[in-house]
Amino acid sequence: MDRVLTETFLDQVQKGNISEQGWKPVVWTVTIDAIKEKCGKVVTKNNVQARLKTWTKNFNIVTELQDQSGFEWDDNRKMIVVRDDVWENYVKSHPDAKGFSNENDGHEDINGENEGSDKQLKRGSDEKQSANKKVRTGDAIAAVMTSMTDTLKFMVETNSRACLPTVDVNKLCQEVNKVLDFDRSLTLRIVDLLATDKTKEHVFYGLPDDFKKEWLMMHLNV
């Protein structure tokens, strides 16, 4: 279900159904239908939103783990590896991270139902050769986390592009031309400055006319 959610949210981002205010209402309907069709599960909007919060929490935990001394990221297995003593000391002060140990590999679905009992993952020969380290993230969790990381990055990049402010260039040029003594070259520089910075554009429109020239010259360093 996590994989279906990931694919569905990514598709909705590409369709522009996310804004600075969050997901558009249609997204919840689409994700609920996708889970029902592909997983045979009936979920609610609250279930999906709760799962997103869990994703965010897990993402933050794993991101913080990678920055800690003694923790390493195994890119081949998509897992964090760490010595037992380092891990035990870390979870004492970070109890939320305990669920990522290989002793806790039960998988919970979106409804909060456990799909498998907690058990330790079997280790391959390469893990036996490195007895001082243990894999602390199950394969299934790691796969979802990797996919989620890539999806979140894409969402941020796509949403940033989608949310770029539109600028009425004609209106902007007219307002700039009201300020006297600007030649064409300087006018173009001003329009470029204001069109790429929404805050400066708002300030420019809000200033009294007799303040605008001095304010523009200050920001152009001329």
Side-chain angles (χ1 to χ4, degrees), residues 5-180:
L5 273 183
T6 300
E7 294 170 352
T8 304
F9 280 123
L10 179 57
D11 179 62
Q12 292 303 303
V13 169
Q14 293 171 328
K15 291 179 178 178
N17 288 330
I18 187 172
S19 66
E20 291 179 337
Q21 287 71 43
W23 295 102
K24 296 182 180 179
V26 66
V27 173
W28 308 117
T29 301
V30 172
T31 53
I32 290 170
D33 290 345
I35 292 294
K36 183 177 181 180
E37 177 185 348
K38 298 179 181 180
C39 303
K41 295 275 190 177
V42 177
V43 298
T44 66
K45 175 182 175 181
N46 288 339
N47 293 143
V48 177
Q49 289 178 325
R51 195 58 176 174
L52 281 177
K53 291 181 180 178
T54 299
W55 278 11
T56 302
K57 177 182 176 182
N58 291 345
F59 177 79
N60 291 335
I61 290 173
V62 172
T63 300
E64 183 178 346
L65 281 175
Q66 293 182 73
D67 293 334
Q68 301 301 311
S69 175
F71 290 78
E72 299 176 15
W73 177 256
D74 186 328
D75 199 47
N76 291 325
R77 292 176 292 177
K78 308 301 181 186
M79 296 177 179
I80 290 176
V81 292
V82 61
R83 295 195 317 273
D84 280 343
D85 58 326
V86 175
W87 175 252
E88 289 165 1
N89 287 331
Y90 183 81
V91 295
K92 287 179 182 178
S93 56
H94 299 80
D96 286 344
K98 188 175 182 180
F100 284 87
S101 67
N102 61 347
E103 288 85 3
N104 295 281
D105 199 33
H107 301 134
E108 198 172 66
D109 68 16
I110 293 174
N111 287 310
E113 299 169 354
N114 197 284
E115 295 182 329
S117 60
D118 290 350
K119 59 183 179 181
Q120 187 170 6
L121 293 176
K122 293 182 180 179
R123 304 187 179 199
S125 58
D126 58 333
E127 293 173 85
K128 292 178 181 178
Q129 294 172 2
S130 181
N132 68 326
K133 293 181 180 180
K134 284 188 177 181
V135 175
R136 292 298 182 180
T137 307
D139 286 333
I141 294 177
V144 171
M145 290 301 300
T146 301
S147 179
M148 187 184 78
T149 300
D150 293 339
T151 301
L152 286 174
K153 288 180 179 177
F154 183 87
M155 287 178 177
V156 171
E157 293 171 357
T158 303
N159 193 38
S160 295
R161 291 194 297 269
C163 293
L164 286 175
T166 56
V167 178
D168 187 337
V169 177
N170 287 331
K171 178 183 177 182
L172 191 55
C173 286
Q174 290 173 6
E175 289 298 318
V176 172
N177 285 331
K178 291 179 181 179
V179 182
L180 301 177

Side-chain angles (χ1 to χ4, degrees), residues 188-197 200 215-216 219-220:
L188 290 174
R189 288 179 60 190
I190 293 170
V191 170
D192 181 63
L193 170 72
L194 299 179
T196 55
D197 191 321
K200 286 186 174 64
W215 183 84
L216 288 171
H219 283 283
L220 290 172

